[in-house]
Amino acid sequence: MTSAADRIRAGAARARVQPVEQPQPGEEQEPVAAAPATRVQDDKPRKPAVRAVPVIAPRQKDIRKNVDLSPAQNDRLGDWQRAAARELGVARVTAQDVLVALVERLLADPDLSDQVKKDLHNTRF
């Protein structure tokens, strides 16, 4: 059995190609045949060459979204967060937690989605 280093060396040897010079305009050139590549292991059939297609890994890191609130909205949200934390018996409820829960509910509930669309339409048009 061959080692990984031997297989890599053999693959590199097969990949080496003699550079062929391009003829200059008006210059004749003899046909050049490339030297045949030697096989490392004649007893095993060669696998067809497959080009490696780069695979882009899926994004693992969360994507940050920013929101601008008026001072009054920020105060009311902070009051709601503190009240929710007391009701839930936790030290605090972050705006991040609230927004993630709201987005999940928005995406899962078609009625809420329609209400939000109507609100957006009424505030923009």
Side-chain angles (χ1 to χ4, degrees):
M1 197 172 256
T2 61
S3 70
D6 292 335
R7 289 192 303 270
I8 292 170
R9 277 190 220 101
R14 284 192 306 270
R16 285 190 201 111
V17 177
Q18 297 285 339
V20 178
E21 293 184 25
Q22 296 295 325
Q24 298 297 325
E27 182 181 27
E28 293 183 23
Q29 182 177 357
E30 299 175 8
V32 177
T38 59
R39 287 187 152 192
V40 176
Q41 297 175 352
D42 291 332
D43 57 341
K44 291 185 180 178
R46 291 179 65 184
K47 293 180 182 177
V50 178
R51 289 189 177 177
V53 177
V55 177
I56 300 172
R59 186 178 171 98
Q60 299 296 320
K61 188 175 179 183
D62 290 343
I63 298 169
R64 181 165 294 277
K65 299 282 186 179
N66 297 324
V67 61
D68 294 328
L69 300 175
S70 69
Q73 287 174 321
N74 187 53
D75 289 343
R76 290 185 1 231
L77 178 60
D79 293 342
W80 186 93
Q81 288 173 252
R82 284 183 289 281
R86 279 191 301 276
E87 287 178 29
L88 296 172
V90 294
R92 67 181 180 153
V93 172
T94 65
Q96 171 75 26
D97 296 333
V98 173
L99 292 174
V100 169
L102 286 172
V103 168
E104 287 299 321
R105 170 106 13 138
L106 174 71
L107 298 176
D109 185 352
D111 292 333
L112 179 59
S113 177
D114 289 341
Q115 290 174 359
V116 170
K117 288 177 194 174
K118 287 177 187 174
D119 290 345
L120 291 172
H121 179 66
N122 291 337
T123 58
R124 291 186 182 212
F125 302 108

